[in-house]
Amino acid sequence: MPTVTTHTVENYLKAIFHLSRGQAGRVSTTQIADHLGVKSSTVTDMIRKLEEQQWVDYTKYQGVELNDKGRNIALSIIRKHRLWEVFLVDTLGFAWDEVHEIAEQLEHIESEKLVNCLDDFLGNPKVDPHGDPIPDKDGVMDGGEHRLLATLSAGEKAVVVRVTQDEPSFLNFLSQQGLHLQTQLQVSSILDFDDSMILQVNDRLINISSKVASHIYVRSIS
């Protein structure tokens, strides 16, 4: 019998998965509340329900983590979300700053057959339009060997492979600066005052803040 979930449950499991990436230890209820824009008491009530369904392991005052069942559900939702983003951009011609909210709706489609057919139709892509890795049907996801742009030194060359912020205003800013996936760049200089970076992109110089650079992953090139 397939696992029965609701959109709210799926959103919580996905949020816990995302928040747990890149941090040691469990995810706090405060982190989840901030991420989803709800009250901490609401999160605590939902976490207890998730624990009753054996999707998470929760210890009061210590936080929550996904167990194998919860992680599989989260990866399934993420897989659908990112495949739909690829479809919207590559097939329907949407811009990369237009697809996140639409994919948030489409990710809750239940048909596994449809999702697998969509994956095959798209040629089994490994990343979505923002460079985020797409889990395969077995939940395997390749993270890749990438560095934050903010860690590069003056003179280093790289190619953009991923952005970690999906806000339209952020993506619009990158587009205006000529920064897209697979864009090659070179760090011309780094300003001591605020660590902002002067980049050479497509034969022109652009200035980006350290905050922007901390949301861009690159692959070093020689």
Side-chain angles (χ1 to χ4, degrees):
M1 180 180 295
T3 301
V4 178
T5 60
T6 66
H7 291 190
T8 301
V9 165
E10 291 174 352
N11 288 338
Y12 268 82
L13 295 175
K14 185 177 69 168
I16 295 169
F17 179 89
H18 285 313
L19 290 168
S20 68
R21 304 279 283 179
Q23 78 169 42
R26 298 185 172 206
V27 176
S28 70
T29 53
T30 301
Q31 285 180 286
I32 299 170
D34 291 342
H35 184 82
L36 295 177
V38 297
K39 295 180 180 179
S40 293
S41 58
T42 301
V43 172
T44 301
D45 290 341
M46 176 57 73
I47 293 302
R48 287 172 177 156
K49 294 177 182 178
L50 298 179
E51 187 179 36
E52 289 174 1
Q53 295 297 321
Q54 299 181 345
W55 291 325
V56 302
D57 296 320
Y58 173 64
T59 303
K60 191 175 182 179
Y61 304 125
Q62 296 182 26
V64 62
E65 62 183 356
L66 299 175
N67 58 26
D68 288 343
K69 289 174 62 176
R71 187 173 186 275
N72 287 339
I73 296 172
L75 284 168
S76 174
I77 301 304
I78 292 167
R79 167 176 161 80
K80 287 183 282 188
H81 182 104
R82 294 176 179 175
L83 283 173
W84 282 118
E85 286 194 337
V86 175
F87 176 78
L88 290 167
V89 170
D90 290 359
T91 305
L92 299 186
F94 281 77
W96 70 339
D97 60 305
E98 297 177 311
V99 295
H100 178 72
E101 293 299 327
I102 303 173
E104 287 278 293
Q105 302 171 51
L106 295 170
E107 70 185 23
H108 299 292
I109 289 175
E110 296 181 5
S111 174
E112 184 176 343
K113 180 178 179 180
L114 171 61
V115 176
N116 289 335
C117 287
L118 176 65
D119 190 14
D120 290 338
F121 172 78
L122 295 171
N124 310 115
K126 299 299 183 184
V127 297
D128 72 7
H130 310 109
D132 290 317
I134 300 174
D136 66 18
K137 61 183 178 181
D138 296 317
V140 178
M141 184 167 57
D142 181 12
E145 295 291 333
H146 306 146
R147 300 173 57 188
L148 279 175
L149 175 57
T151 67
L152 267 61
S153 301
E156 288 194 84
K157 297 180 180 180
V159 58
V160 177
V161 294
R162 182 186 173 204
V163 296
T164 61
Q165 176 61 259
D166 51 34
E167 285 294 323
S169 59
F170 176 76
L171 296 173
N172 276 328
F173 172 78
L174 294 188
S175 295
Q176 291 168 7
Q177 301 302 315
L179 291 171
H180 301 276
L181 296 189
Q182 304 308 315
T183 296
Q184 293 188 18
L185 58 86
Q186 182 174 15
V187 180
S188 178
S189 61
I190 300 174
L191 304 184
D192 291 335
F193 174 69
D194 59 0
D195 291 326
S196 60
M197 309 180 86
I198 307 297
L199 306 178
Q200 182 172 346
V201 179
N202 299 325
D203 297 325
R204 68 189 185 97
L205 295 178
I206 64 171
N207 186 320
I208 65 168
S209 68
S210 59
K211 181 178 180 179
V212 169
S214 69
H215 287 292
I216 301 174
Y217 276 93
V218 297
R219 183 181 69 251
S220 297
I221 56 177
S222 55

